[in-house]
Amino acid sequence: MTFQQPKLDTSPPVSDEVRQTTCYMCACRCGINVHMKDGPDGKKQVAYIEGNRDHPVNKGVLCAKGSAGIMQVNAPSRLKKPLKRVGPRGSGEYEEISWEEALSTAVGWLTELHETAPHKLAFFTGRDQSQSFTSFWAQHFGTPNYAAHGGFCSVNMAAAGIYTMGGAFWEFGQPDWDHTKLFMIFGVAEDHDSNPIKMGLGKIKARGAKVIGVNPVRSGYNAIADEWVGITPGTDGLFILALVHELMKAGKIDLHYLAQYTNAAVLVDGDTGLLLRDDDGKQLVIDRTTGKPTPFDQKGVRPDLSGSYRHAGTTHRTVMALMAEKYLDPQYAPEAVAERCGIPADKIRKIAAELARVAFEEAFELDQEWTDFRGETHKTMTGRPVSFHAMRGISAHSNGFQTCRALHVLQILLGTVEVPGGFRFKPPYPKPVEAHPTPHGERHPGKALAGPHLGFPRGPEDLLLDDDGKAQRIDKAFTWENPMSVHGLMHMVISNAHAQDPYPIDTLFMYMANMSWNSSMNTSGVIKMLTDRNDDGGYRIPRIIYSDAYSSEMVAYADLILPDTTYLERHDCISLLDRPICEADAAADAIRWPVIEPDRDVRGFQSVLIELGARIGLKGFLNEDGTPKWKDYADYIVNHERRPGIGPLAGFRGQDGDQAGRGAVNPEQLDKYIENGGFFVEHIPAEAQYMKPWNAAYQDWAVGMGIYDAPQPYLFQLYVEPMRKFQRAAEGHGDRQPPDHLRDRLKHVMDPLPIWYEPLEDASVDASEFDVHALTQRPMAMYHSWGTQNAWLRQLHGENPLYLPTKLWKKHGFTEGDWARVTSVHGEITVPVAHQAALNDNTVWTWNAIGKRKGTWALSEDAPEANKGFLLNHLIHELLPPKGDGLRWANSDPITGQAAWFDLRVKLEKVAAPSEAQPVFAPITSPVKQGPDELKWKVGK
């Protein structure tokens, strides 16, 4: 008798139903299939989560974070009801209250402020992915004090990119994965945009493209790079400018690209340093055909990079001439920067040569006709297969803005932006800085701000200063201290509110911002500020409202808690008005929707804001008859129009749902998104997919989509004129003048061409004593602190050592299991150490946000995160060491206000192992019970 193979069901059904939505476990915003089963009570339960193969972002790929979302929505640390503080701040003593009492309390506090002193509300949000709406709410409240977390995360990258070329790395663009042959990354960790980057790396490495990783730490993407450059922290800009020096010295730059598409050929006024313009404000170039100054955008103009113009005794030279003079200076030669950067001069020269070789010797043509903004038609598109990507590692320094600018200038000199094989923008970018608003801060009781809080200053006239020169905002954004702070300074809000500088506030309202722990510099100091009292016994910051889904460290310091839902229990909108899910070849947006119903008395924060806005009486939230304009956030998403025909979602517009970008409100819009997998995509025509800033077809397509109201072609700005305007003011020109103590700093740092200067902490401490650089990186398995309570992800990162390079490991005689005292000028910690050979010789690092305070997140007090996990935040301060002048100098980039997390310098000492990581804080009493030792439940009947 023959053997009979048993019949096995190799694909048993894992669910009764699949619901498609958008992941929220990091900023990728991947599409997910949420498999559902009927629970014992008849309600749907999540069985498991996988990637959506049809989704434009991840095409079915899903990482550990995304899969672990099932644990996020079942976490024991979820808040269950609104809470009112009944004990002292920090005690964790609360009583549960009804939503009516919670909302009435908030309305009582906020209505008076709206009607009398709106600036006394400070409303700041974390990485919530709904900033177009939260800023809309704050604008209608009338407070100037709004921003999200970008000021301590990404502002240097975003601002530098938009001022230079109309977009940046991060979610603004991506490499041309299909054509690039050399991919160079700077300061890229693994938590952000991880699935698209992993997919892209797999694609380019499969065809033999080279990857060069520049990072003090070799982990993640840098670990699989073909070449690793273990740079000294804070010197990326110097290294990049040495590459620029070598390329210019060898003549390996794209002269045609520079002349046609950038302001390299634009004339600079020899007297003022401002760009020469015609009567219509258009930048002037010397036309090689006529030899005369001509507007840059005229048909047939051939800009002369070496041209000059003499008039009234003054010679006006091109931006290119000024760049050659600056960057060919020997101070940027590889030999001059090698020691400081920690990179041998020969290696710098080799990388420059390789960039040039691939860009020019491996150039190619795409057989794609296109017409430029001057009306000239080109038969092909020239490809230069070199692409770059950079993130927080180069952004989070006090010289980060100019470093990011330098990197953009490098790729522009090679002609690799918006060409085949290079870096490509994602809609709604590219946008020239002129397409962005300027900041608004003039407050009028009972009225909305005249425009958005955050914007892009064009010069001193756009600073948010009152008639006495004092800051209009509590974080001092858009002042002489940080003129171009386009994302605000969230890390300075609590410190300034406590100091009542520039004025006292009444209410601090925060969402998803763990400011009493891992989201603050100077954690112990911030805890004291939140609990400090005036002489009359009242709190220095009188009222704190906080919303979060989980029992984080910040919960214990609020007076009123508005519990949020988890991401599978609410509506969200990933909008073209905010930070959408677009790819370089398509505009795309997405939603989240309640695939399950909450089992607790919680509400989505955005819907709570809708109700608060109406009950406070914000005019933008009321109909003419005084009734609420929207019943909840879903209603807002569908029916709100930012401009006629332009709403939060671009897809399925119009009464029949057949319009994209522009169109009337469609009452069935959310249903259409759900039917389509939770997303919408509109592909860019083939002739418009490259050369977007100058491509007439793209400009017309963008107008049709509502990205622009009229075509907005522009030149890349290698020389940033707004910076020169601030610099001129510091030199004494103009009606609006900086204070004398900031003049020299502004003259130096506001150079309109990228420069490098020493990180501010380096100049503020004794570098011979504090001789080690200290960094944090976020792990791929967690994003910010969102995975803190996740039962699956905790098994990957339940504790964190401080990683030491071989040089420091041997110098201090460390062995496995040892501990170190790590001291900065601001504080000290005692932590476990581990050896890592692939690390810059004078740099230590650890994973970010692993350490937790006892009693939080429903973790037990002996959880490894609370005993062996730790934060470097205790060593960092929001202020630089005092200079003896009585002034408060922010530990931030002096241009943008970006928090300088990575400027930290420390010293090391081997010590006996304590029982747990130091410092130790008293446990917090949590409003939720401690989770079980084993988290398990039955899904389905």
Side-chain angles (χ1 to χ4, degrees):
M1 184 175 180
T2 60
F3 174 74
Q4 298 294 313
Q5 180 72 30
K7 294 182 178 180
L8 301 175
D9 186 354
T10 56
S11 299
V14 295
S15 56
D16 304 319
E17 180 185 354
V18 176
R19 297 179 177 179
Q20 295 180 308
T21 186
T22 306
C23 188
Y24 195 39
M25 297 297 286
C26 81
C28 287
R29 289 82 50 89
C30 295
I32 52 174
N33 297 333
V34 184
H35 289 257
M36 315 295 296
K37 284 190 174 182
D38 293 322
D41 57 359
K43 292 183 178 180
K44 293 290 185 184
Q45 295 178 299
V46 180
Y48 99 108
I49 299 172
E50 66 176 353
N52 177 358
R53 293 176 182 268
D54 297 322
H55 198 274
V57 171
N58 60 315
K59 299 177 176 60
V61 174
L62 201 63
C63 68
K65 295 189 298 290
S67 299
I70 189 171
M71 293 300 188
Q72 207 80 0
V73 300
N74 290 288
S77 59
R78 291 170 302 159
L79 297 169
K80 295 176 172 57
K81 282 185 69 69
L83 301 168
K84 179 175 69 176
R85 180 177 57 80
V86 294
R89 278 195 197 152
S91 66
E93 297 175 21
Y94 289 93
E95 67 177 18
E96 294 183 346
I97 57 175
S98 68
W99 271 104
E100 178 54 38
E101 182 178 351
L103 293 170
S104 296
T105 300
V107 168
W109 293 352
L110 297 176
T111 301
E112 182 180 1
L113 293 183
H114 168 62
E115 295 174 350
T116 61
H119 66 287
K120 291 191 175 182
L121 170 67
F123 178 50
F124 286 78
T125 72
R127 191 64 168 87
D128 61 287
Q129 303 181 13
S130 62
Q131 291 161 28
S132 70
F133 171 68
T134 51
S135 65
F136 177 83
W137 188 94
Q139 181 180 336
H140 283 82
F141 188 91
T143 178
N145 295 317
Y146 165 83
H149 91 306
F152 60 66
C153 179
S154 61
V155 63
N156 274 336
M157 186 63 68
I162 287 172
Y163 275 107
T164 307
M165 59 182 192
F169 304 121
W170 239 290
E171 288 124 312
F172 297 85
Q174 64 186 168
D176 184 1
W177 299 114
D178 290 329
H179 296 102
T180 197
K181 296 181 180 179
L182 176 59
F183 181 43
M184 193 168 183
I185 56 176
F186 289 78
V188 178
E190 295 80 53
D191 66 315
H192 215 292
D193 204 32
S194 59
N195 285 339
I197 291 178
K198 285 182 287 189
M199 293 159 61
L201 285 169
K203 182 179 286 188
I204 66 173
K205 286 181 80 69
R207 64 167 191 273
K210 182 173 182 178
V211 178
I212 301 175
V214 183
N215 198 314
V217 181
R218 191 168 197 182
S219 65
Y221 308 135
N222 293 279
I224 65 165
D226 300 285
E227 185 171 354
W228 171 61
V229 181
I231 195 167
T232 299
T235 67
D236 301 82
L238 196 57
F239 167 57
I240 292 165
L241 293 178
L243 296 175
V244 168
H245 172 92
E246 287 295 291
L247 292 168
M248 294 184 77
K249 184 178 175 181
K252 296 295 187 179
I253 56 178
D254 191 332
L255 297 176
H256 174 77
Y257 183 97
L258 291 167
Q260 294 294 108
Y261 308 128
T262 82
N263 72 351
V266 171
L267 295 165
V268 180
D269 189 309
D271 290 327
T272 66
L274 301 177
L275 301 178
L276 287 189
R277 300 171 184 270
D278 68 5
D279 292 341
D280 295 324
K282 291 183 178 178
Q283 298 175 15
L284 293 173
V285 299
I286 296 295
D287 184 4
R288 283 190 283 130
T289 303
T290 66
K292 295 180 180 180
T294 308
F296 76 91
D297 62 348
Q298 299 301 296
K299 187 171 184 178
V301 70
R302 295 293 180 264
D304 187 351
L305 289 169
S306 60
S308 64
Y309 174 59
R310 186 167 179 80
H311 178 71
T314 300
T315 299
H316 312 295
R317 298 190 297 158
T318 64
V319 168
M320 193 72 223
L322 300 182
M323 292 181 66
E325 184 177 278
K326 180 182 285 282
Y327 300 126
L328 289 174
D329 189 291
Q331 69 173 308
Y332 295 114
E335 289 80 6
V337 309
E339 183 177 357
R340 177 160 250 162
C341 295
I343 307 169
D346 285 347
K347 189 166 191 173
I348 297 173
R349 275 191 291 270
K350 176 177 173 290
I351 291 172
E354 191 155 16
L355 291 170
R357 182 189 63 77
V358 177
F360 299 108
E361 295 179 23
E362 299 195 32
F364 62 98
E365 300 289 324
L366 281 189
D367 188 18
Q368 176 63 61
E369 185 175 286
W370 69 287
T371 301
D372 69 25
F373 66 100
R374 296 185 177 97
E376 298 181 21
T377 298
H378 308 265
K379 295 297 184 183
T380 62
M381 293 178 172
T382 299
R384 302 210 180 278
V386 174
S387 58
F388 297 85
H389 187 64
M391 284 178 51
R392 191 180 297 108
I394 68 169
S395 185
H397 290 284
S398 54
N399 58 17
F401 176 83
Q402 289 284 27
T403 293
C404 294
R405 284 254 303 127
L407 183 53
H408 297 318
V409 166
L410 171 63
Q411 58 180 344
I412 291 169
L413 287 173
L414 289 167
T416 66
V417 180
E418 265 304 317
V419 301
F423 173 80
R424 304 171 69 194
F425 293 115
K426 300 179 183 180
Y429 297 94
K431 286 184 180 181
V433 72
E434 291 80 11
H436 294 267
T438 55
H440 293 77
E442 289 282 351
R443 66 258 189 181
H444 301 283
K447 295 182 179 179
L449 293 183
H453 307 79
L454 305 177
F456 289 79
R458 318 294 199 257
E461 66 276 10
D462 294 325
L463 294 179
L464 297 185
L465 300 168
D466 64 19
D467 293 339
D468 297 325
K470 292 186 67 176
Q472 292 182 355
R473 291 174 53 105
I474 191 65
D475 60 358
K476 299 187 181 179
F478 307 109
T479 68
W480 291 110
E481 294 184 28
N482 26 253
M484 297 162 74
S485 42
V486 303
H487 285 174
L489 286 83
M490 191 167 174
H491 57 291
M492 293 303 300
V493 171
I494 292 171
S495 177
N496 288 356
H498 178 266
Q500 300 186 350
D501 176 22
Y503 48 75
I505 66 168
D506 176 89
T507 301
L508 176 63
F509 189 4
M510 306 195 95
Y511 173 50
M512 251 183 69
N514 197 8
M515 300 304 290
S516 71
W517 198 246
N518 62 279
S519 289
S520 275
M521 299 165 144
N522 183 25
T523 300
S524 58
V526 168
I527 290 172
K528 184 177 185 302
M529 294 174 201
L530 294 172
T531 56
D532 208 6
R533 297 178 184 264
N534 295 318
D535 292 340
D536 63 4
Y539 284 111
R540 188 80 168 165
I541 301 174
R543 294 165 173 158
I544 300 176
I545 305 173
Y546 185 56
S547 179
D548 204 326
Y550 304 103
S551 181
S552 70
E553 285 86 356
M554 185 62 202
V555 166
Y557 295 93
D559 307 308
L560 180 66
I561 303 294
L562 307 175
D564 192 18
T565 57
T566 66
Y567 73 103
L568 295 183
E569 300 168 324
R570 65 162 178 260
H571 283 97
D572 273 332
C573 178
I574 304 110
S575 168
L576 282 169
L577 301 178
D578 200 344
R579 300 173 82 164
I581 63 164
C582 300
E583 294 296 294
D585 60 358
D589 58 15
I591 65 165
R592 298 185 187 93
W593 58 284
V595 300
I596 54 173
E597 294 297 321
D599 58 359
R600 311 161 318 286
D601 190 14
V602 298
R603 298 183 184 180
F605 177 68
Q606 292 78 11
S607 289
V608 170
L609 280 185
I610 295 279
E611 184 165 353
L612 286 176
R615 290 173 66 160
I616 293 166
L618 306 186
K619 291 182 180 178
F621 287 73
L622 299 174
N623 295 311
E624 290 186 6
D625 62 1
T627 57
K629 189 174 286 188
W630 308 289
K631 65 180 181 180
D632 56 21
Y633 191 44
D635 193 11
Y636 166 91
I637 292 171
V638 171
N639 291 296
H640 172 65
E641 289 185 290
R642 197 57 60 95
R643 306 192 310 276
I646 305 294
L649 292 173
F652 310 109
R653 300 195 67 81
Q655 288 297 319
D656 297 325
D658 58 355
Q659 297 178 21
R662 297 178 185 270
V665 167
N666 172 15
E668 309 301 321
Q669 188 179 38
L670 289 180
D671 291 335
K672 291 286 189 180
Y673 269 82
I674 292 170
E675 290 171 14
N676 198 55
F679 65 91
F680 169 80
V681 173
E682 180 75 7
H683 285 277
I684 301 170
E687 68 272 18
Q689 290 198 4
Y690 296 97
M691 317 300 285
K692 296 187 185 86
W694 322 289
N695 188 326
Y698 176 80
Q699 296 288 319
D700 291 342
W701 177 86
V703 170
M705 284 293 296
I707 293 171
Y708 310 138
D709 286 334
Q712 303 250 2
Y714 63 97
L715 297 177
F716 286 168
Q717 300 294 292
L718 301 171
Y719 185 98
V720 174
E721 187 178 49
M723 299 184 71
R724 175 58 190 154
K725 291 181 179 179
F726 286 112
Q727 193 180 48
R728 272 178 54 79
E731 292 168 357
H733 301 282
D735 296 331
R736 205 167 214 185
Q737 292 287 294
D740 287 342
H741 71 276
L742 291 174
R743 285 188 188 276
D744 288 342
R745 182 169 90 168
L746 288 163
K747 288 179 199 177
H748 179 49
V749 303
M750 300 300 286
D751 195 310
L753 290 173
I755 61 170
W756 181 85
Y757 53 87
E758 188 176 42
L760 297 185
E761 180 153 327
D762 283 12
S764 302
V765 304
D766 182 348
S768 62
E769 178 182 5
F770 299 99
D771 57 345
V772 176
H773 299 272
L775 305 173
T776 59
Q777 281 195 177
R778 292 193 170 98
M780 191 178 290
M782 290 190 188
Y783 179 70
H784 290 235
S785 60
W786 296 359
T788 293
Q789 76 288 356
N790 192 291
W792 288 354
L793 299 179
R794 287 184 62 217
Q795 297 175 60
L796 301 177
H797 296 287
E799 57 187 83
N800 57 309
L802 184 71
Y803 292 100
L804 274 60
T806 303
K807 174 184 171 182
L808 296 177
W809 187 261
K810 291 181 176 179
K811 175 182 175 182
H812 294 278
F814 285 111
T815 58
E816 186 175 350
D818 281 345
W819 288 58
R821 180 182 296 119
V822 188
T823 308
S824 74
V825 72
H826 310 292
E828 69 176 44
I829 58 177
T830 304
V831 298
V833 296
H835 179 215
Q836 180 180 343
L839 184 56
N840 176 272
D841 276 350
N842 291 301
T843 300
V844 298
W845 75 281
T846 193
W847 295 120
N848 177 265
I850 303 301
K852 295 293 166 281
R853 187 163 173 184
K854 296 178 188 296
T856 60
W857 300 99
L859 301 176
S860 67
E861 290 190 15
D862 61 356
E865 292 92 338
N867 290 275
K868 290 189 176 180
F870 65 90
L871 302 177
L872 278 187
N873 305 55
H874 302 301
L875 301 178
I876 310 171
H877 205 286
E878 75 275 1
L879 300 175
L880 290 168
K883 297 184 178 183
D885 53 12
L887 299 172
R888 290 162 47 90
W889 294 84
N891 185 15
S892 309
D893 189 300
I895 300 171
T896 65
Q898 160 95 49
W901 295 97
F902 294 167
D903 283 1
L904 178 64
R905 279 184 167 271
V906 300
K907 58 183 178 181
L908 301 176
E909 179 186 359
K910 182 178 176 180
V911 296
S915 58
E916 55 188 320
Q918 306 292 314
V920 176
F921 292 81
I924 288 178
T925 300
S926 175
V928 301
K929 294 180 180 178
Q930 180 180 311
D933 292 337
E934 294 183 4
L935 187 61
K936 57 184 179 181
W937 62 93
K938 178 178 175 58
V939 178
K941 295 179 180 179

